[in-house]
Amino acid sequence: MAHHASAPQPSSPGPGPSGPARYSITVRSEFAAAHALMIAGTREPLHGHNWLVLATISGPTLDADGLLCDFHTVEDLLKELTGQFHNRNLNEVEPFTKLNPSAENVARYFADELSSGLGAALAPHARVESVSVTEAPGCVATYRPDAP
């Protein structure tokens, strides 16, 4: 007599092995800018990059329109934020006149500004999950704000 295994049951929505189900959207922007980092007390030579910024918004629920946040709202704000640095020397633009303009600090700056700028445009419990900044191919820094 052959033994037949039960067919797998579809998984139910809700918490999975890594926590509750989440939605996310990711928006991309680019800008060209130069910087000169302080590394171990020494300023490196000024050099430029074509910076790529990826911002991810996530949350467990959607708003009444079925959106986490309108893509255009995030795109417009991210474009405004990156635009202030386009074709500039980051060392000469706030907050990087006093803050080392590393990819890590640039990612945190964009995450913080997106978080405060999006405010009510986000669905309930949605937040900026991460911002990744690529300053050169293969060189990516990611900042993930702490969950509220």
Side-chain angles (χ1 to χ4, degrees), residues 9-145:
Q9 298 297 313
S11 59
S12 61
S18 62
R22 297 190 71 77
Y23 297 94
S24 67
I25 62 171
T26 301
V27 175
R28 169 187 174 139
S29 186
E30 297 179 50
F31 66 102
H35 69 163
L37 295 177
M38 289 294 291
I39 300 175
T42 303
R43 184 174 300 279
E44 67 179 1
L46 183 67
H47 61 282
H49 297 287
N50 291 321
W51 302 75
L52 169 64
V53 180
L54 295 174
T56 300
I57 310 298
S58 69
T61 59
L62 304 177
D63 67 13
D65 295 322
L67 302 172
L68 192 59
C69 186
D70 180 24
F71 277 112
H72 298 297
T73 302
V74 181
E75 282 177 318
D76 291 348
L77 180 53
L78 188 57
K79 188 174 185 178
E80 178 184 324
L81 292 169
T82 58
Q84 68 185 334
F85 299 119
H86 187 62
N87 289 331
R88 305 278 306 271
N89 174 351
L90 295 182
N91 299 77
E92 297 175 352
V93 183
E94 289 294 332
F96 302 108
T97 56
K98 296 179 182 79
L99 181 65
N100 203 20
S102 65
E104 295 89 342
N105 282 333
V106 172
R108 181 175 183 161
Y109 171 80
F110 287 132
D112 291 347
E113 292 297 309
L114 281 169
S115 292
S116 64
L118 289 172
L122 296 173
H125 311 292
R127 65 184 188 88
V128 175
E129 178 180 305
S130 66
V131 173
S132 294
V133 172
T134 302
E135 67 171 32
C139 298
V140 181
T142 301
Y143 177 74
R144 291 176 184 84

